[in-house]
Amino acid sequence: MKLRHRIPAVAALLCALAVSAATATAAPSETPESRLAELISSGLHTAADGRVPQPISDTGSSSGSGSGSASHASDTAGEGPEMSSYLAAFGYGLTHPDAAPPGSNRWDCVPGTAHPNPVVLLHGTWLNAYDSFAYLAPKLAHAGFCVFALNYGRSGVLEGGGLGPVLPGRYGVGPIEESARQVSAFVDRVRAATRADRVDIVAHSQGAPVADQYLKFEGGGEKVGRLVTFGGTHHGTTLLGMATLGRIITNLGIDILGFYQPFIGPANIQQAVGSPFLNRLNGVGDTVPGVSYTVVASRYDEIMNPLELAFLRAGPNATVDDITLQDGCDQDLSDHLTMMYSPRAVSIALHALDPTLAPNRVCTFNPWLVGGGGGL
C-alpha cells in the first residue's frame, strides 16, 4: 500500500477484511445483502488512481449515540516547534501527542482591538491539535490573534474509539455530538479567560461537522463570529463510494455496523454521506444566522471527495465564501492533510479572519503528501 493512503486507508483495509470475514461466516453467499453488494459493485467504477471501490468496505451511518463509546477532551501540554512539513509534524505528534501548536493556548493572552475574537482551532479525525496546526497556529499568533486548541474526541480502543488510537495522538474518534459538547466547554473557557463575547473557529476535516453541531445544537451560534473550514466533511464524504452498502443495510434496520465499528470508531461512521447524523445536522440548513463562513476545498483531497460536498449554501443572515484552493494557483498540490501546511491556505485563513492582513491570496508550490510550507 502506498504511503499516501496513510492511516485512513489502513483502517479502511482492516474494516474491509473484518466485514468480509464476518459476512462470509455469518450468512450464506446468496443472502439479500450479498446480492445487494453485487448490484452496487456493478455500478462502481475504477477511480482515477486505479483503485476499485468495494462497497463491503464501509464507514457506515450510525449516529454514534447509543454506541457505547466514551470520549473526552484534554488540554495540550507545552508548545511544540513550528513546522512547515506535515510529515515532520506528524512524526513529532507521535512522540509528543499532547503538544500545543506553537503560539497557542497562552491563557494570559489579551485580544487587541484589531482582533477581539480569539481563534479556536479544531483538528480532524485521527489527528491532534499539534500535527494539524503546527504551521498555521504560529502564523495566526504572529498576526496578533489569541489562539487556542484542544484535543477532542479522545477515545481508546477499549472505549470504542477504533484502531486509530493505537498510535499516540490519534484523536477525534468519539461520537461527534460528544465532541461538540467538549468544544462548547472549551470555547466557554476561552471566552472567560479572554473576556471575549465571541470566538472565531478554524476547523480541519471532521472539525467542520463538529463545529456545525456546536453552532446548531449546542448554543454556539451566539458565541461564534466566523467559521473557516479546510477539507471539511460538512456533508460527509463518499470515500470512493465504499460506505454505500453498510449505509443502506443499516438504514433498513440490519445492523451490520457491529462487525467493523471497533475498527474505525463512531466519528468515521458518522461522516459517511447520508448518515443519520449528517441528515439531522444538515436538515436545519447549512448555516446559522449571524455567522460568516469561509469554506476551502482542494482538488487533490483524497479523503474529502467529491470536492463539492465540502461547500455550503448560505441561509438567512449568514454569508458563505466557497473556495477551491487551486483556483488561480495550479501549483498548489495540497491534499487533505497538507492543505494545513499551504501558504495559500494560510493567506485564505488570515483574510477570512481579517481581510487587511492578507488582501491577496498567496500562490506557491506546495507538494502533495509532504507539505513544505511552499517548498521542499
Side-chain angles (χ1 to χ4, degrees):
M1 180 171 289
K2 296 180 180 179
L3 177 61
R4 65 190 178 90
H5 292 164
R6 295 186 298 277
I7 296 173
V10 173
L13 176 60
L14 289 172
C15 309
L17 294 174
V19 177
S20 298
T23 53
T25 57
S29 59
E30 284 300 313
T31 62
E33 292 90 294
S34 65
R35 290 195 296 271
L36 181 58
E38 293 172 3
L39 178 64
I40 294 173
S41 293
S42 67
L44 296 175
H45 303 285
T46 302
D49 63 1
R51 287 180 290 170
V52 180
Q54 299 294 326
I56 200 67
S57 176
D58 178 52
T59 55
S61 62
S62 171
S63 69
S65 59
S67 65
S69 172
S71 73
H72 65 281
S74 67
D75 284 346
T76 55
E79 289 185 25
E82 185 172 352
M83 294 281 189
S84 62
S85 165
Y86 164 72
L87 285 184
F90 177 80
Y92 187 89
L94 288 177
T95 56
H96 303 80
D98 293 312
S104 70
N105 290 358
R106 299 177 180 177
W107 292 93
D108 58 350
C109 185
V110 178
T113 55
H115 305 131
N117 290 2
V119 178
V120 174
L121 307 176
L122 301 182
H123 62 79
T125 311
W126 287 327
L127 301 171
N128 58 55
Y130 177 80
D131 60 25
S132 294
F133 301 111
Y135 182 67
L136 175 63
K139 303 290 191 296
L140 297 177
H142 294 157
F145 292 95
C146 293
V147 183
F148 297 88
L150 78 160
N151 289 316
Y152 70 82
R154 299 185 61 159
S155 183
V157 176
L158 296 181
E159 290 77 34
L163 288 181
V166 169
L167 291 176
R170 302 311 101 197
Y171 308 138
V173 296
I176 292 177
E177 300 93 334
E178 293 182 11
S179 294
R181 289 190 286 270
Q182 294 158 17
V183 169
S184 177
F186 186 77
V187 167
D188 286 346
R189 286 177 57 201
V190 170
R191 292 173 60 239
T194 59
R195 299 185 179 181
D197 291 332
R198 290 176 178 255
V199 303
D200 294 331
I201 293 177
V202 177
H204 174 237
S205 191
Q206 185 203 145
V210 169
D212 290 338
Q213 175 76 15
Y214 167 57
L215 290 172
K216 294 175 182 179
F217 301 114
E218 298 296 335
E222 301 297 322
K223 302 173 183 179
V224 175
R226 302 173 186 87
L227 173 59
V228 185
T229 68
F230 293 88
T233 53
H234 292 284
H235 298 111
T237 174
T238 63
L239 296 175
L240 284 175
M242 290 188 292
T244 305
L245 178 62
R247 183 173 64 251
I248 292 176
I249 293 176
T250 301
N251 288 346
L252 288 174
I254 307 171
D255 184 12
I256 65 167
L257 296 183
F259 289 137
Y260 52 89
Q261 180 166 315
F263 287 88
I264 59 176
N268 272 311
I269 290 171
Q270 291 178 299
Q271 291 174 85
V273 173
S275 72
F277 167 78
L278 288 173
N279 289 339
R280 287 193 299 271
L281 181 68
N282 296 309
V284 295
D286 285 355
T287 63
V288 299
V291 177
S292 174
Y293 294 78
T294 300
V295 181
V296 184
S298 172
R299 293 188 183 127
Y300 301 105
D301 194 327
E302 70 278 55
I303 304 300
M304 178 55 244
N305 57 70
L307 173 147
E308 291 75 18
L309 284 176
F311 294 147
L312 300 177
R313 178 177 297 178
N317 195 28
T319 62
V320 173
D321 188 9
D322 288 329
I323 300 170
T324 300
L325 190 62
Q326 287 77 27
D327 282 354
C329 188
D330 291 337
Q331 66 201 75
D332 192 317
L333 306 180
S334 302
D335 68 339
H336 188 69
L337 298 172
T338 59
M339 72 173 68
M340 300 316 303
Y341 289 78
S342 160
R344 186 169 183 80
V346 170
S347 68
I348 292 172
L350 287 171
H351 182 85
L353 298 171
D354 180 357
T356 66
L357 291 177
N360 300 308
R361 295 175 190 171
V362 172
C363 182
T364 61
F365 170 67
N366 196 56
W368 181 77
L369 174 62
V370 178
L376 293 173

